[in-house]
Amino acid sequence: MTTTFTLTTPVSRALNALALDRPAIQTPEDVTITPTGGALGAIVTGLDANRPLSSDLVLRLKKALDDHHILIFRNQQLSDDRFLAFTTYFGSVFRPPEDVPVLASEAAGTPPDVVPVSNQSGGYTGNGELTPHIDHQWTPLPSAGSLLYALEVPASGGLTSWYNIAEAYADLDDETRAEIDQLQLITYNPFTHPHGQPRRLYRLPDQTPTSAAFPHPLVRTHPSSGKKVLFLSTHTEVEVPGVDPEHAQTLIARLRDHLQNPDYRYEHDWQVGDIVYWDNQATLHSRTAFPAEERRVLKRVSLAGSRPF
């Protein structure tokens, strides 16, 4: 007798379909991990994200992410279900509180599991420049990472850069590290910013907050590697509670300038079939603009994180 179950969530459907298909399992011997030679990143070859991974291979990839902060998987061909199933080796899907908006959450309160990052109808982020930022930093529990899968890329522009914020922290002088190690940072939600009003880089005491406040350490400890990171985006509105506002503004501006040092950056020129998995707890990322008439279609899954400490 055949029993049919009704599955109602994308993750359940994706993992059930993979279980029924039962393709051959991949092992560490199938895969090569090669550093990019830049400030961060490694290229993973020999892996087919359609197939299940052995426990040893999953652990090797997680260790490589701690070491290199971004992993680049080339030449992938995936349905949304297979892409989603692959991401769940690395964590649960990020779901913000319904009262804290993020990219793609405005319609239903929470974003879809697979977010279309595209300048086409139904997609998000358009074709303009995106300044260096940490995804979901303004939420109570920022995402741990994201995987972005390229389906169509423009002939020029649309490159993504990642910045090594662990190395940026390590390179600070002792005096600066001593000053910032115990500070908290409020990052205000850009999705609640009043329409038409200028965007601020720092909130002063006489200015009305634009969102709820969820303070996190300015210097965060990575939950698996133990590395200290400078947990700061470059253009999102922030506040350092308990510090003189004039001094805090100057300090934040200096740290932001430091973070954007090219020595901390890897720039990725996308190819169709690329999946880039980045550690949102150890990197900033940005994007260059590209012509509006060209198509850029990618899919993103973000992974749940924990409270920063």
Side-chain angles (χ1 to χ4, degrees), residues 169 172 176-183 218-219 230 251 255:
Y169 172 77
L172 290 171
T176 300
R177 286 201 300 268
E179 178 181 7
I180 68 176
D181 274 352
Q182 302 304 316
L183 296 180
L218 175 58
V219 177
L230 187 52
L251 173 65
L255 293 174

Side-chain angles (χ1 to χ4, degrees), residues 14-213:
L15 294 177
N16 183 67
L18 187 63
L20 295 174
D21 188 21
R22 302 180 68 82
I25 294 176
Q26 295 170 98
T27 67
E29 292 72 29
D30 299 326
V31 170
T32 301
I33 301 174
T34 307
T36 63
L40 67 172
I43 299 170
V44 181
T45 54
L47 184 142
D48 179 357
N50 285 289
R51 293 169 51 193
L53 312 183
S54 71
S55 58
D56 287 344
L57 179 52
V58 173
L59 292 173
R60 184 183 177 201
L61 293 173
K62 290 186 174 187
K63 176 63 165 58
L65 188 73
D66 279 351
D67 291 342
H68 302 289
H69 308 313
I70 62 171
L71 299 179
I72 302 155
F73 304 91
R74 298 282 197 189
N75 303 314
Q76 302 300 318
Q77 292 183 309
L78 297 167
S79 66
D80 280 5
D81 279 355
R82 288 297 171 90
F83 178 40
L84 183 58
F86 176 64
T87 70
T88 58
Y89 278 115
F90 308 110
S92 301
V93 175
F94 171 74
R95 292 188 175 88
E98 291 187 5
D99 54 0
V100 181
V102 300
L103 182 72
S105 69
E106 64 272 12
T110 56
D113 290 352
V114 181
V115 174
V117 177
S118 167
N119 65 330
Q120 302 303 299
S121 177
Y124 297 89
T125 73
N127 70 295
E129 178 188 9
L130 300 177
T131 55
H133 61 282
I134 297 167
D135 284 344
H136 315 122
Q137 189 179 9
W138 55 88
T139 66
L141 305 175
S143 58
S146 291
L147 294 95
L148 191 59
Y149 171 40
L151 299 173
E152 299 180 59
V153 298
S156 62
L159 280 64
T160 304
S161 291
W162 282 269
Y163 298 78
N164 187 335
I165 59 177
E167 188 173 344
Y169 172 77
D171 285 348
L172 290 171
D173 60 83
D174 291 343
E175 183 179 353
T176 300
R177 286 201 300 268
E179 178 181 7
I180 68 176
D181 274 352
Q182 302 304 316
L183 296 180
Q184 294 286 298
L185 181 77
I186 297 170
T187 302
Y188 288 99
N189 190 335
F191 291 93
T192 61
H193 186 86
H195 181 70
Q197 291 190 15
R199 292 190 177 271
R200 306 183 295 235
L201 295 180
Y202 194 92
R203 177 187 171 264
L204 298 173
D206 62 345
Q207 295 171 327
T208 302
T210 56
S211 73

